[in-house]
Amino acid sequence: AGCKAKGQILLVSEGKAQMNIVIPNKPTANEQKAATILQHYIKMIAGVQPLIEKETGFRGEAGIYVGETYRGSKYYSKKLAPEALLIATDNNNIYLKGGSGKGIIYAVYTLLDTYFGCKKWSNERPYIAVNPSLSIPKGIEDMQAPAMQFRQVYFPATIEDEFLDWHK
């Protein structure tokens, strides 16, 4: 018996957004920033910009839930450490969650790097894996928490904020 694939969730199909980004009704500054970063990179990857919507106004079938949304809390209710992140998918939705620190921003950069093939090797512009159809596997639960609170890295790129956030 072989391994049966669970399938994919389509974010963008042939240049047409299949889902919007959903944020809490009262997003934190980091949740708002994370949603904007995600929107920006999806546009660079797939050439289409999904809308960012507050959860109460969202009427879509499926969404990319960023931060402490009601739907995201129903999916995963445990509190995360400040810099921890969670990337999860069910059959239709994507959930990006983070702790009270920069966790939600780290979740977006981890999604871009691990699941969408984008890379940031230096303080130069990131490598964008251009694709008019963007998808992610169903049934992911990727939880990451830093082993330490603080680390200092001496590398020229570390003077750029995006490089630092990308690499947590």
Side-chain angles (χ1 to χ4, degrees), residues 18-94:
Q18 302 297 306
M19 54 177 59
N20 288 340
I21 298 167
V22 184
I23 57 174
N25 298 323
K26 293 184 177 161
T28 65
N30 279 342
E31 288 169 336
Q32 186 70 56
K33 181 179 177 185
T36 304
I37 292 166
L38 182 60
Q39 180 187 49
H40 170 75
Y41 276 98
I42 290 175
K43 173 117 174 70
M44 290 207 299
I45 294 165
V48 64
Q49 187 164 295
L51 296 173
I52 297 174
E53 294 186 70
K54 298 262 173 87
E55 192 170 23
T56 45
F58 181 64
R59 297 284 170 262
E61 293 291 308
I64 307 166
Y65 291 87
V66 174
E68 289 304 310
T69 58
Y70 173 73
R71 182 85 180 252
S73 298
K74 270 179 46 180
Y75 179 83
Y76 188 90
S77 59
K78 293 190 196 95
K79 198 128 178 81
L80 296 171
E83 309 301 315
L85 67 95
L86 172 70
I87 298 169
T89 57
D90 54 21
N91 279 333
N92 304 303
N93 303 288
I94 301 165

